Amino acid sequence: MKTEATRMGQDIQEGVGRYPIGTEVRVEADAVAHSWTNAEPNTLMEQVLSRPNLMRAYQRVVSNKGAAGVDQMPVSALKSHLQQHWPTLRKRLLAGDYQPQPVRRISIPKPQGGERVLGIPTVQDRLIQQALHQVLSPRLDPNFSDHSYGFRPGRSPHQAVKAMQKHINEGRRWVVDLDLEKFFDRVNHDVLMSLLARRLSDRRILTLIRRYLNAGMLDGGLVSPRREGTPQGGPLSPLLSNVLLTELDRELERRGHRFCRYADDCNIYVRSERAGHRVMASITRYLEQRLRLRVNTDKSAVDRPWRRSYLGYSVSWHKQVRLRVAPKSLKRHQAKLRQLLRGARGRSLRTTIERLNPVLRGWANYYRLTDSKRPVEALDGWIRRRLRLILWRQWKRVVTRARNLMRLGLTEQRAWISATNGRGPWWNSGASHMNAALPKKVFDRLSLVSLLDTMNRLPSQS
């Protein structure tokens, strides 16, 4: 049987066949008229609109699901929409006169506090952006720095964390921790487009990207124009951010610095505090004058790396530093788990564990590089105590508590003493009688993910 993506590709290809390439079209963009001949099948726009590329883009957009844009069209309606409108849409893209719709503004809380603004494109624009990304990324990525790890194929946060550890172990025990203020909202369009024009020759592609950058943002029923920034939420934004920040990478390389960058998180490692302050001042000037970006002086600092965190990790102060989970990361994870466990009193323990496990498994996988396992072991114990707390509250009555404790292996005398001790639920959840009745092996049989056991089983390299 044909998959939906295959059928979609055939629908798109039929639309392509109805509108053969071969006419010259004149399009005005950025107040300058350009002419393009659509008779060259290997130009970038034709590669973007090719059947295999569109099939991949469609499959990716559908699998990612995601919220609707300003037109309120869900992902499930994309296929029928394209079957009806694709020939006209393709003609406009080839001619260079396609106008993207505004993005829908939504805000999500940041882990460190505050809000992150996202711009959600329509499903149709997500498809076009994804098709652009798939063609442009292989062309642009080879020009990116080896010290850049974010939003790139074959690269990961773990590689950036390992690079951090290597730089510190080589004796660079001071870090210049740069925080770019609202980076995705501050990207200068002219600077970014001039960098893209060096590497892309198809003016239709450049014009389309400029229009995506300039597309307004809908908030409270009003569309506000956008003169800077590339809001997070569309497939193109991460790639465009790397195009701009590669200039920072090359400047740091030219100066001989050791650094690692993941998206807009950049740490530079130096041998002395004095060198750190000198680098901070000069790089701040470069970012503001050359790239038109602003450094957040409140969050940036020159400090010892074990007093800072990078991508959720920190390091020890030893001569050969060891990786550890940053304290703030542990607190955020505990807060997330506490939120998940609220309302669990009305659910079975097995159901609660099933809801917890994906979160625990993902966290353990991300922090598997940590060398210091004691905080992880303590967090495992805290999770089990929270689950015992839920059971103690579910049992409610003294008789029920005593019977359940006996059923779980406690003697009748100990069960009744424990059930009638008059202490609160939290105290009882950590008391010896609940630990004896519900030891770790009971939770193992219930398939509760142990963070420590999972980390020990996973490979430490990424």
Side-chain angles (χ1 to χ4, degrees), residues 167-175 258 269-271 305:
H167 295 324
I168 300 169
N169 281 335
E170 288 174 345
R172 296 172 178 84
R173 298 174 74 82
W174 287 88
V175 60
R258 299 292 185 271
Y269 298 90
V270 295
R271 295 185 183 274

Side-chain angles (χ1 to χ4, degrees), residues 250-436:
R250 296 307 181 199
E251 180 66 16
L252 292 172
E253 290 170 353
R254 188 183 67 78
R255 299 183 186 190
H257 290 310
R258 299 292 185 271
F259 69 97
C260 44
R261 180 178 66 80
Y262 190 93
D264 57 329
D265 290 331
C266 183
N267 278 4
I268 308 164
Y269 298 90
V270 295
R271 295 185 183 274
S272 70
E273 184 179 11
R274 183 179 177 183
H277 286 294
R278 185 175 65 248
V279 170
M280 175 69 83
S282 62
I283 291 300
T284 298
R285 284 195 301 272
Y286 174 83
L287 286 166
E288 293 179 350
Q289 295 173 9
R290 296 288 297 276
L291 300 185
R292 313 281 182 87
L293 297 172
R294 190 177 302 169
V295 173
N296 188 330
T297 54
D298 292 334
K299 294 184 178 180
S300 301
V302 176
D303 205 345
R304 295 291 195 179
W306 44 87
R307 292 200 287 259
R308 309 292 291 183
S309 64
Y310 186 59
L311 301 179
Y313 279 86
S314 186
V315 295
S316 67
W317 51 265
H318 300 89
K319 185 175 181 180
Q320 291 296 307
V321 299
R322 303 172 67 196
L323 295 174
R324 62 182 185 179
V325 181
K328 287 183 179 179
S329 300
L330 280 170
K331 288 181 181 178
R332 282 199 300 270
H333 188 54
Q334 273 190 296
K336 183 175 184 178
L337 294 174
R338 191 178 285 110
Q339 186 68 32
L340 283 172
L341 289 168
R342 283 180 183 172
R345 187 173 176 178
R347 298 193 297 262
S348 70
L349 187 62
R350 193 175 296 277
T351 299
T352 300
I353 287 173
E354 287 173 355
R355 295 190 180 191
L356 280 179
N357 277 347
V359 177
L360 298 176
R361 196 174 290 111
W363 193 89
N365 181 62
Y366 183 80
Y367 287 103
R368 70 178 184 266
L369 299 184
T370 183
D371 298 306
S372 179
K373 298 297 191 339
R374 189 173 297 173
V376 178
E377 188 175 11
L379 185 56
D380 264 338
W382 178 86
I383 293 167
R384 290 192 293 270
R385 183 172 180 178
R386 296 290 301 191
L387 294 173
R388 294 186 190 108
L389 171 67
I390 292 168
L391 284 177
W392 187 262
R393 283 174 168 166
Q394 286 178 345
W395 294 343
K396 293 182 182 178
R397 298 171 60 238
V398 169
V399 174
T400 305
R401 288 171 177 169
R403 287 175 178 173
N404 281 326
L405 289 173
M406 285 187 282
R407 183 175 56 83
L408 290 168
L410 269 63
T411 63
E412 182 177 357
Q413 181 183 11
R414 188 180 182 188
W416 279 102
I417 291 173
S418 301
T420 58
N421 61 38
R423 300 274 191 163
W426 181 245
W427 185 91
N428 275 285
S429 67
S432 60
H433 55 268
M434 284 296 279
N435 279 279

Side-chain angles (χ1 to χ4, degrees), residues 25-154:
V25 184
R26 298 188 69 83
V27 180
E28 184 170 307
D30 302 324
V32 179
H34 299 284
S35 63
W36 299 296
T37 301
N38 293 336
E40 301 175 12
N42 292 322
T43 56
L44 278 180
M45 186 58 85
E46 278 71 26
Q47 292 177 38
V48 169
L49 300 179
S50 69
R51 179 190 175 210
N53 189 55
L54 288 167
M55 286 175 61
R56 284 174 55 213
Y58 174 81
Q59 193 170 30
R60 183 69 177 267
V61 170
V62 170
S63 64
N64 285 346
K65 300 179 181 178
V70 295
D71 60 358
Q72 295 300 312
M73 184 174 76
V75 173
S76 59
L78 179 59
K79 179 179 178 179
S80 59
H81 174 80
L82 291 176
Q83 286 172 331
Q84 182 178 356
H85 298 287
W86 176 249
T88 302
L89 175 59
R90 178 182 182 274
K91 186 177 181 180
R92 292 171 61 196
L93 287 165
L94 284 172
D97 61 3
Y98 175 76
Q99 293 288 347
Q101 295 187 67
V103 296
R104 183 168 65 89
R105 185 186 192 276
I106 64 171
S107 300
I108 60 172
K110 287 184 177 181
Q112 301 86 354
E115 289 186 336
R116 175 177 286 112
V117 175
L118 302 182
I120 307 301
T122 64
V123 179
Q124 175 177 288
D125 281 322
R126 291 212 292 273
L127 175 74
I128 297 170
Q129 286 195 34
Q130 182 61 37
L132 281 168
H133 183 280
Q134 290 168 181
V135 169
L136 298 185
S137 181
R139 284 177 168 265
L140 298 173
D141 190 86
N143 297 302
F144 296 159
S145 168
D146 288 340
H147 306 288
S148 163
Y149 299 93
F151 308 128
R152 299 182 61 188

